[in-house]
Amino acid sequence: MARTISSWLSGPGSAEPGPPTGYPGERLGLPEHGPGSLAPLGRRLLALLADWLLAYGLAGLGLAFGVVTPTGLPLAVLVVWLILGAVSVRLFSFTPGQLVCGLQVASVDQRGVGIGRAAVRGALIALVIPALFVNADGRGFQDQVTHTAVVRR
């Protein structure tokens, strides 16, 4: 009797707990290693840092030329980062930081990454908290919502 209730309460599939089978990205049809496989967290963070530093430098140029005020610098960095990310992902499938790290943003539903998806993805990353929620593949909430994945080039 306990076995029947246990399997019913645990939902569909096996009632036996265990490690997930396969490798990250297998459910998406991505290879385990090499080009097209899911990017590791360290590379993604390094790419994000590079993009953020580039946005900070561009906003700093705006500050030097008087386009941005010192109090508006943090907002200018965020806006530059969002625009740079959305436009570059739409045009090239990667941001400058991802280019340096050998990564790109790929669509997992074969529709392509348009400007809308790229903008929503960037906005969710800017909120920070959604990026902390990852699934079994290690994809952040922003990638799950926009049906994208950061993969190796």
Side-chain angles (χ1 to χ4, degrees):
M1 178 79 156
R3 176 87 172 138
T4 305
I5 292 174
S6 170
S7 65
W8 175 73
L9 289 175
S10 62
S14 173
E16 302 298 323
T21 60
Y23 58 88
E26 182 177 25
R27 294 181 307 142
L28 302 171
L30 301 175
E32 185 173 5
H33 301 290
S37 63
L38 283 179
L41 179 63
R43 272 187 164 179
R44 292 184 306 194
L45 289 175
L46 187 62
L48 179 65
L49 178 65
D51 289 334
W52 197 257
L53 289 174
L54 179 62
Y56 199 92
L58 291 173
L61 282 175
L63 180 67
F65 289 117
V67 177
V68 178
T69 63
T71 57
L73 185 62
L75 180 61
V77 171
L78 179 63
V79 169
V80 167
W81 178 80
L82 282 170
I83 292 171
L84 179 69
V87 170
S88 62
V89 165
R90 170 61 187 108
L91 293 176
F92 310 112
S93 296
F94 51 79
T95 64
Q98 289 171 343
L99 173 66
V100 169
C101 294
L103 306 175
Q104 72 180 32
V105 178
S107 171
V108 295
D109 63 1
Q110 309 306 322
R111 285 189 359 203
V113 182
I115 192 73
R117 276 184 172 187
V120 168
R121 187 176 179 281
L124 287 171
I125 293 171
L127 292 174
V128 177
I129 300 299
L132 298 177
F133 292 101
V134 296
N135 64 2
D137 290 327
R139 291 172 51 225
F141 184 70
Q142 74 281 358
D143 287 329
Q144 296 172 46
V145 167
T146 59
H147 303 285
T148 58
V150 179
V151 297
R152 293 180 172 114
R153 281 190 299 118

